[in-house]
Amino acid sequence: MALKLLLTLIIALVTGLFFLGLSRKMIARIQWRYGPPLIQPLIDIIKLLSQKSMTHGGLFNFGLVLSLAGSVILLLFIPLGEWCIMNKSGGLLVIIYLMLLAPFGTALSSGAAANPNASIGISRKLLMALAYEVPLLLILLTLMTYYNTISISGIIVKQQNAGWSLTILPLLLSGIAYILILPAVLGIRPFAIVKAPQEIASGPSVEYSGKFLAFAEIQHAFQTYITIALFVNLFLGGASNPGYFFLKMLVVFVAGILIHTVFPRFRIEQAIKYLWRWPALLALAGLAVVVILDKI
Amino acid sequence: MNLVYILAVAFTASLLVYLSGKISKTLRNFLAVLVSLGMAASVIYLYNHSFAIHLSTGFPDFPLVLRINTLAWFFALIISVVGVLTVIFSLQYIKNKKRTDFYFLMLLLVNVSMLGIIFSGDLLSFYIFWEIMSWSTFLLISYNRGAAIAAGMKYIIMSLAGSAAILTGILSLYTCFGTLIIAELAGNLSLTSPAYTLFIFLLFFTGFGIKNAVWPFHSWLPPAHSEAPSPFSALLSGTLIKIGTYGLIIFFYVILGMKKFIGLKYGFFNLQYMLCWIGAFTIVFPTFIALLQNDAKRLLAWHSIGQMGYIILGIAFGTSTGVAGGIFHIFNHAAFKGLLFLSVGAVEYRTNGVRDLNSLGGLLKKMPVTFCGALIGACGIIGMPLTNGFVSKWLIYKTLIVEKYPFLAFAALLGTWGTILSLYKFLHNIFLGQLPEKYKNIKKAPFTMQFPMLVFSLIIITCGVLPGIPLKIINRIITSFGLKALDISIWGVISETGALNTVNIFFALAGAFFIIWLIFKLWPKETKIAQADNYAAGAAVPRDKYNYTVNFYNPLYRMISPCLRDFIDEFYIRLAKITRSLCNSIKLVYNGDTGYYIMYIILFMTALIFIQIKWSIW
Amino acid sequence: MDRNQISKWIKSPVKMGHKYSLHAVYFCTGCGIIEIPPSITARWDAERFGVIPVATSRQANLFLITGYVSLKTLKAIIRTYEQMAEPKFTVGFGSCPINGGMYWDSYNTIKHLDKYIPVDGWIAGCMPRPEAIFVAVTHLWTLIDREMADGYKRYRKNYKFYRSNQEKLYGKLEWPPLFQKDGAK
């Protein structure tokens, strides 16, 4: 059990860092340059961990540790292939709940940084979270109603019998809505509004140095892994062996990076308007369809 | 211990507190704390008792009944504990204001009358105590003068309208059944026609709904809670609005009865389902209005309305998990809303009355205990795991999802995210960010103010980690209604559908936090730098200008503030204006001039004489 | 470039980390700012060396002083340098930071930057081209390998010297001294 836990954490971290490095390499290649090696995020983290960091007080440390703990604990509820550590403890409902820990932790820590750039960044982060939560909650509720279960492993098993959720007709609207909000949840362009280096001097991480920045990078890696894994498990069928699982995650991530490379950044009002218009309407329609089908 | 003695002693002791204030301030403070502690102690002593006392007034048809059962004990416990803690908090808070004896008298009177409402077993004593509570609340809301008088006016007018509705309902029930005792009324309503049930239902829903601040009746709450003195705001939000819920529970589950309530249909309209939707709307709409507020107490007041929506949703839903979640949320909301209002009170006390979110900031280092209290209260109201808000909200969500009501579940979940945003704005604009120059020398909150906050935080965390303790009592309440009992252990609820295993979640979260904290500490120690040593693009940090608090959610504000005006409030104000202009036009006739009145009398007499002469009617 | 040699990573990961992940604070001093965008964009790609610009001084460990330093800019440079996390490296571009360069007789520029903040390396030129910047980066790697890039240690040891020079220039400074007498922060 402890071995499974450790392996899940290591695999998630390695995959997350690999995705971050892959994104930098791909963006570089698309822009006709060579780009850093694939392990560059790891080199960055090694350097950051060996720097002498500066802190603004107890709440600064506490918030960062809370956000990383929030991401790690979310990891335990998402199946990886056939493993799922906390299988019996609530599934999707708990995930909906624990999704709020990571932004809240970052919010507390950036608030303690006492920098207006951090405050602007964190207000943007919370607004983005509110904006993509509206369609995301509708989509997750649709899945819970259609499959009549709140456990993700249960949903994976049902998909293995009936085909991917994306191909099931009543869930098609929700699937399209999820694809439309996936860049927002991942935080890649056009929704890279929170960490806007050129506008608000890195937003929440403006005062992070040394190990704080390392922890923030690790949390970003975990969060990328969690988001893509959730999408693959819910809509693309999960997978019973990890290799196939990673292949699916890779496909989703590469698609995201291709969008990321060509888009500029939205303003926060444009992002909220977008996320509350078409994806929310599609998700609402999807939920209505599933509920009506359920009553019939 | 006899309930009559408790109430009588408490009443006289409140008057005694007022009189002793004329003698000495310390004596009055001591007596006030003693009285409230006495009430709390006697309530705790009455644990597990269940009896009723009949008193007779002169009229044989109207005995006064005082009774206690688990439901009453639960509410009485909340009221007395919150009462004690607010009295302790007010000792320092009210020190420099005028008419402090009057304040303590009214505070204790509100507490005692609320206890009286809870303990009353027949509708007459219920109404008597309800009225005492209403006017003493009014006097205390307008304690601060100035803008508080208008707020108190709004409150008392709406409250009187509600009381009139309740009185009509009580009279109607008496004429129909001949008795006012709640235990005898129980189940009788199912024998009458559905139209009569609907009539009684509407009357009582209006009356209790106004006190409970459900959506159409909520507009008295924001001004009243923000203009009242802060410890009394804690009492208001924590317990007073729950009295409306108590009335609704008594009506739905005791008078109306479980079976009648669940299937209450009128043609297409399922009344129970409509109540759930009113609750859902109350969750979403006021929580988002709270986002846009700039006054700390107004933000919390709008939040109270939102959390009431959760309670109404849980109670109206009718399943055992839902009702348990709703009743547990009553307890939780008293704890964290009380805590939040008390922390605003502490900040207000130290900054001489400033509670404008746009001008505070950075008080984290100066008032750390207050901040911890506000943080734990915020975590509770958001529903973070390890706090008790998580358990009650979880129960409500689970029942909504398992019973296949995804739209209601969506409204409830959206309320949580609105709560996160507005509570973060609250925390950030008061405690985080840079410290303005003028608050550089603020001292910490005094101990009598820190102590209630510590007690509330302890309650929140203990009932979060070990929710079995309150859930045992709530189980007894819902079995007395006729619902199935929940399957609980000390750690939480065990059930079959995708079990809530709070144990696992708590331990996983605590373990993850601990391990990461360990890794964090293992690395070389970080250096602590001053708040003013901040990135400012190479410049020295400009004093007092380096804080971002004004218009904290500006993009969202611009987008949604046109749609988020308080329509109901504008409707009521319009109604008041129309009434006033109507009365003004009547004043053209009744204009107070005796000459006109004599003219009216003479004209009328002439008309009567003329009719008699012409047609000889009489 | 010995980035691929695993044995070196295992032996001294800290040094390798500092070498191959130099985050430059995006500070635009003088004439040299025109040379920075070409070196970080597609034609002369700096990211393949691990050098990327970051937004704040807290996240950076490389400081490029790209040209002449006027009196106003020096205040910002000192502030930014003190806010960076240790270990940090400074590189001066062109001849102006070395000895005043083209503005050797101006009343408003600093002639010897080394008196106010420690500098690890200089790049000759007026302005050096991107290729010269990359040669300088590889030289910085060699210095880090041999532990000779110790500007931050010199700053800590001789803080009295640097601080008195800064105060001679500006009078009273708006920020308190960074290090106490014994070198602790």
Side-chain angles (χ1 to χ4, degrees):
Chain A
M1 182 62 169
L3 186 65
K4 242 183 173 186
L5 179 62
L6 204 58
L7 265 177
T8 316
L9 284 176
I10 294 181
I11 292 179
L13 186 59
V14 167
T15 318
L17 288 178
F18 169 69
F19 278 165
L20 290 182
L22 180 66
S23 78
R24 281 170 77 169
K25 190 79 170 176
M26 271 188 65
I27 296 170
R29 288 297 164 123
I30 293 178
Q31 292 173 351
W32 284 23
R33 49 189 180 95
Y34 277 106
L38 279 177
I39 56 166
Q40 185 69 29
L42 188 62
I43 304 179
D44 285 342
I45 289 182
I46 292 178
K47 174 207 71 165
L48 287 170
L49 284 174
S50 63
Q51 281 197 307
K52 230 166 152 206
S53 33
M54 296 161 274
T55 175
H56 276 285
L59 188 64
F60 196 66
N61 306 348
F62 171 76
L64 193 56
V65 175
L66 181 65
S67 86
L68 189 53
S71 287
V72 164
I73 188 181
L74 207 52
L75 203 54
L76 304 177
F77 286 89
I78 298 187
L80 163 73
E82 273 184 339
W83 289 350
C84 184
I85 309 232
M86 312 254 311
N87 212 350
K88 295 270 178 301
S89 304
L92 267 179
L93 195 49
V94 179
I95 289 186
I96 292 178
Y97 233 101
L98 292 178
M99 272 199 299
L100 66 85
L101 269 184
F104 192 63
T106 322
L108 284 179
S109 152
S110 344
N115 196 317
N117 292 314
S119 306
I120 299 179
I122 204 64
S123 90
R124 288 187 187 187
K125 184 174 189 122
L126 290 173
L127 285 176
M128 277 290 294
L130 179 69
Y132 70 65
E133 282 291 329
V134 170
L136 189 61
L137 286 172
L138 287 169
I139 294 168
L140 292 178
L141 284 170
T142 315
L143 283 171
M144 281 196 264
T145 318
Y146 184 80
Y147 285 115
N148 211 357
T149 169
I150 64 174
S151 132
I152 306 188
S153 323
I155 296 182
I156 297 182
V157 165
K158 292 193 185 171
Q159 281 181 82
Q160 279 170 349
N161 300 336
W164 293 359
S165 298
L166 209 51
T167 58
I168 299 181
L169 205 51
L171 291 176
L172 183 62
L173 285 175
S174 306
I176 297 178
Y178 204 155
I179 294 178
L180 287 178
I181 68 169
L182 207 49
V185 187
L186 277 175
I188 55 181
R189 291 205 296 259
F191 296 101
I193 305 179
V194 174
K195 262 208 213 321
Q198 298 90 340
E199 291 175 30
I200 50 175
S202 310
S205 46
V206 64
E207 282 285 315
Y208 286 171
S209 55
K211 69 180 172 188
F212 297 95
L213 196 58
F215 273 51
E217 285 293 310
I218 296 177
Q219 197 257 340
H220 187 212
F222 275 132
Q223 200 68 32
T224 314
Y225 173 83
I226 289 170
T227 317
I228 303 182
L230 193 63
F231 178 65
V232 167
N233 276 333
L234 289 177
F235 274 95
L236 293 184
S240 43
N241 81 14
Y244 196 29
F245 186 67
F246 293 133
L247 187 63
K248 290 188 187 173
M249 283 179 62
L250 194 65
V251 167
V252 173
F253 186 69
V254 166
I257 288 300
L258 290 175
I259 298 180
H260 166 87
T261 328
V262 299
F263 268 89
R265 192 182 288 142
F266 275 163
R267 292 202 331 261
I268 184 75
E269 301 101 17
Q270 293 173 322
I272 300 180
K273 254 189 237 177
Y274 166 78
L275 287 168
W276 278 357
R277 193 182 294 172
W278 287 114
L281 285 176
L282 282 175
L284 198 61
L287 184 58
V289 161
V290 165
V291 166
I292 293 176
L293 277 182
D294 206 45
K295 297 277 199 252
I296 296 179
Chain B
M1 213 190 288
N2 211 329
L3 291 170
V4 185
Y5 292 147
I6 299 177
L7 289 175
V9 165
F11 263 118
T12 37
S14 327
L15 290 169
L16 218 65
V17 166
Y18 180 72
L19 293 172
S20 70
K22 306 292 183 199
I23 310 175
S24 127
K25 298 292 174 203
T26 0
L27 179 64
R28 172 203 69 203
N29 289 350
F30 179 69
L31 266 183
V33 177
L34 198 64
V35 170
S36 36
L37 269 179
M39 280 197 283
S42 45
V43 168
I44 296 179
Y45 180 77
L46 283 171
Y47 176 59
N48 241 347
H49 292 222
S50 176
F51 55 85
I53 305 174
H54 287 244
L55 305 165
S56 72
T57 56
F59 305 94
D61 269 340
F62 300 120
L64 292 178
V65 178
L66 295 174
R67 62 105 176 88
I68 184 165
N69 54 18
T70 326
L71 177 67
W73 185 82
F74 184 71
F75 273 91
L77 184 69
I78 301 176
I79 293 171
S80 44
V81 170
V82 176
V84 167
L85 293 173
T86 41
V87 169
I88 295 180
F89 189 87
S90 333
L91 293 177
Q92 280 271 33
Y93 182 84
I94 213 74
K95 219 170 39 165
N96 299 327
K97 308 215 179 186
K98 311 195 214 347
R99 299 180 299 134
T100 46
D101 312 322
F102 179 70
Y103 174 86
F104 275 108
L105 169 67
M106 284 297 139
L107 195 60
L108 289 172
L109 210 59
V110 172
N111 276 340
V112 175
S113 50
M114 283 199 284
L115 272 184
I117 294 179
I118 303 298
F119 285 153
S120 56
D122 76 307
L123 290 174
L124 182 60
S125 48
F126 186 95
Y127 189 70
I128 295 175
F129 284 116
W130 183 273
E131 285 301 296
I132 299 180
M133 175 187 77
S134 293
W135 55 252
S136 46
T137 318
F138 163 62
L139 288 173
L140 204 44
I141 289 178
S142 31
Y143 175 78
N144 275 334
R145 300 295 172 197
I149 297 188
M153 244 344 168
K154 206 168 190 178
Y155 162 74
I156 196 67
I157 291 178
M158 292 189 73
S159 186
L160 284 176
S163 306
I166 296 178
L167 189 60
T168 321
I170 293 179
L171 289 174
S172 164
L173 279 177
Y174 177 71
T175 39
C176 195
F177 297 118
T179 170
L180 282 178
I181 305 181
I182 297 182
E184 293 180 13
L185 278 176
N188 265 348
L189 261 184
S190 37
L191 305 171
T192 54
S193 66
Y196 183 71
T197 321
L198 179 63
F199 170 67
I200 294 286
F201 178 88
L202 282 176
L203 281 176
F204 275 121
F205 183 67
T206 314
F208 293 130
I210 288 183
K211 194 58 105 193
N212 202 4
V214 208
W215 174 64
F217 308 123
H218 64 279
S219 40
W220 63 268
L221 200 144
H225 285 219
S226 43
E227 302 296 336
S230 293
F232 188 59
S233 294
L235 193 69
L236 270 178
S237 268
T239 48
L240 209 105
I241 43 188
K242 313 300 195 314
I243 303 290
T245 324
Y246 174 75
L248 282 175
I249 295 180
I250 291 285
F251 180 67
F252 291 156
Y253 287 104
V254 178
I255 297 185
L256 202 49
M258 253 301 293
K259 281 200 269 297
K260 200 76 184 349
F261 177 59
I262 296 295
L264 205 57
K265 278 178 150 52
Y266 289 98
F268 276 142
F269 297 109
N270 188 345
L271 211 54
Q272 188 200 2
Y273 194 49
M274 275 176 55
L275 265 184
C276 290
W277 269 104
I278 290 182
F281 195 70
T282 317
I283 295 177
V284 176
F285 197 56
T287 313
F288 278 85
I289 295 187
L291 266 182
L292 313 172
Q293 299 300 319
N294 282 326
D295 179 357
K297 285 172 70 166
R298 246 195 151 96
L299 191 147
L300 293 175
W302 275 107
H303 257 298
S304 291
I305 308 178
Q307 300 297 311
M308 281 298 116
Y310 274 105
I311 298 177
I312 298 280
L313 183 55
I315 291 179
F317 200 68
T319 62
S320 58
T321 330
V323 177
I327 298 183
F328 195 23
H329 206 65
I330 294 179
F331 176 77
N332 296 342
H333 186 240
F336 32 76
K337 207 29 94 58
L339 182 53
L340 285 171
F341 268 113
L342 290 183
S343 60
V344 176
V347 169
E348 214 184 348
Y349 176 70
R350 281 302 187 200
T351 60
N352 278 333
V354 177
R355 47 177 219 252
D356 179 19
L357 283 176
N358 290 343
S359 58
L360 292 167
L363 293 176
L364 163 65
K365 299 273 166 64
K366 296 287 176 188
M367 306 176 83
V369 176
T370 316
F371 173 71
C372 277
L375 183 62
I376 295 181
C379 289
I381 200 171
I382 292 174
M384 183 139 352
L386 288 181
T387 57
N388 53 6
F390 173 62
V391 183
S392 60
K393 283 196 176 179
W394 170 275
L395 288 171
I396 298 178
Y397 293 158
K398 191 152 97 98
T399 187
L400 287 174
I401 290 180
V402 165
E403 302 283 328
K404 305 290 199 79
Y405 283 95
F407 288 105
L408 289 175
F410 171 65
L413 289 166
L414 196 57
T416 303
W417 273 95
T419 316
I420 295 180
L421 259 76
S422 34
L423 259 301
Y424 183 69
K425 174 177 179 172
F426 172 79
L427 279 178
H428 178 272
N429 283 8
I430 298 183
F431 295 106
L432 304 174
Q434 292 274 351
L435 189 63
E437 276 297 302
K438 55 183 165 174
Y439 301 130
K440 225 169 30 163
N441 300 322
I442 280 193
K443 301 193 288 272
K444 295 197 327 197
F447 181 68
T448 50
M449 287 190 173
Q450 290 177 351
F451 175 69
M453 292 197 269
L454 289 173
V455 172
F456 273 134
S457 320
L458 214 63
I459 294 178
I460 292 178
I461 298 196
T462 321
C463 292
V465 179
L466 302 173
I469 305 175
L471 276 178
K472 203 167 61 147
I473 304 169
I474 295 175
N475 234 357
R476 260 189 271 160
I477 298 179
I478 58 181
T479 32
S480 76
F481 292 158
L483 292 162
K484 203 162 66 86
L486 289 176
D487 194 9
I488 55 173
S489 70
I490 189 151
W491 298 102
V493 178
I494 316 168
S495 69
E496 329 76 31
T497 352
L500 158 70
N501 208 339
T502 23
V503 182
N504 279 0
I505 300 178
F506 293 165
F507 279 130
L509 186 60
F513 189 85
F514 181 66
I515 292 177
I516 296 179
W517 182 257
L518 216 59
I519 299 179
F520 186 82
K521 281 295 177 198
L522 275 180
W523 245 267
K525 191 142 174 39
E526 61 273 2
T527 35
K528 201 149 189 292
I529 53 181
Q531 203 75 315
D533 185 1
N534 223 318
Y535 169 73
V541 167
R543 286 270 94 200
D544 263 0
K545 292 189 175 58
Y546 213 55
N547 206 5
Y548 176 73
T549 49
V550 181
N551 279 340
F552 194 67
Y553 291 122
N554 203 15
L556 194 65
Y557 184 85
R558 281 202 294 253
M559 267 181 64
I560 66 178
S561 71
C563 335
L564 277 189
R565 301 184 329 259
D566 192 0
F567 300 111
I568 297 292
D569 201 26
E570 294 170 9
F571 170 69
Y572 287 150
I573 293 181
R574 237 356 230 312
L575 208 61
K577 280 207 179 85
I578 292 176
T579 320
R580 178 177 286 177
S581 60
L582 204 66
C583 297
N584 274 343
S585 44
I586 294 183
K587 243 173 56 163
L588 292 174
V589 176
Y590 282 97
N591 49 7
D593 192 346
T594 333
Y596 273 82
Y597 292 163
I598 296 181
M599 269 308 289
Y600 293 152
I601 295 177
I602 293 178
L603 281 174
F604 190 59
M605 294 287 290
T606 325
L608 281 181
I609 295 173
F610 178 68
I611 294 176
Q612 176 66 3
I613 293 179
K614 191 84 196 291
W615 291 294
S616 310
I617 302 183
W618 295 283
Chain C
M1 179 132 78
D2 53 356
R3 190 160 50 190
N4 298 330
Q5 301 185 12
I6 310 266
S7 58
K8 288 226 176 128
W9 278 101
I10 299 182
K11 221 174 1 160
S12 54
V14 171
K15 264 200 254 181
M16 299 288 279
H18 284 309
K19 276 168 37 177
Y20 294 115
S21 153
L22 284 168
H23 289 188
V25 63
Y26 203 75
F27 193 102
C28 322
T29 314
C31 317
I33 194 50
I34 200 68
E35 299 292 341
I36 299 295
S39 53
I40 58 183
T41 46
R43 187 159 181 173
W44 288 283
D45 181 21
E47 202 174 355
R48 56 199 158 128
F49 295 98
V51 175
I52 50 170
V54 284
T56 47
S57 48
R58 299 273 185 216
Q59 303 172 356
N61 59 351
L62 175 64
F63 197 2
L64 303 168
I65 317 266
T66 54
Y68 69 88
V69 177
S70 62
L71 286 177
K72 244 194 205 174
T73 323
L74 183 62
K75 251 195 187 169
I77 288 180
I78 297 172
R79 195 82 201 99
T80 310
Y81 184 75
E82 287 185 350
Q83 280 183 343
M84 284 163 70
E86 301 188 352
K88 44 194 171 184
F89 316 105
T90 333
V91 176
F93 278 28
S95 36
C96 291
I98 303 177
N99 55 10
M102 185 158 73
Y103 304 107
W104 60 274
D105 59 350
S106 160
Y107 59 91
N108 199 22
T109 57
I110 304 295
K111 312 301 181 301
H112 302 275
L113 184 59
D114 218 1
K115 287 208 281 193
Y116 304 99
I117 65 170
V119 182
D120 289 307
W122 312 94
I123 309 179
C126 191
M127 274 291 129
R129 283 178 63 86
E131 295 100 338
I133 299 178
F134 296 149
V135 170
V137 167
T138 47
H139 282 185
L140 189 60
W141 292 346
T142 323
L143 287 180
I144 296 177
D145 258 338
R146 303 203 193 135
E147 309 217 354
M148 286 164 56
D150 58 350
Y152 65 98
K153 293 188 192 149
R154 275 185 278 136
Y155 197 60
R156 187 183 281 265
K157 212 155 51 135
N158 308 324
Y159 188 62
K160 211 146 140 327
F161 167 71
Y162 287 112
R163 179 92 182 172
S164 60
N165 283 342
Q166 293 162 8
E167 278 173 352
K168 241 188 285 198
L169 207 48
Y170 292 116
K172 188 163 162 35
L173 291 166
E174 287 126 355
W175 53 89
L178 192 57
F179 301 118
Q180 308 306 324
K181 287 258 191 296
D182 51 356
K185 243 209 187 137

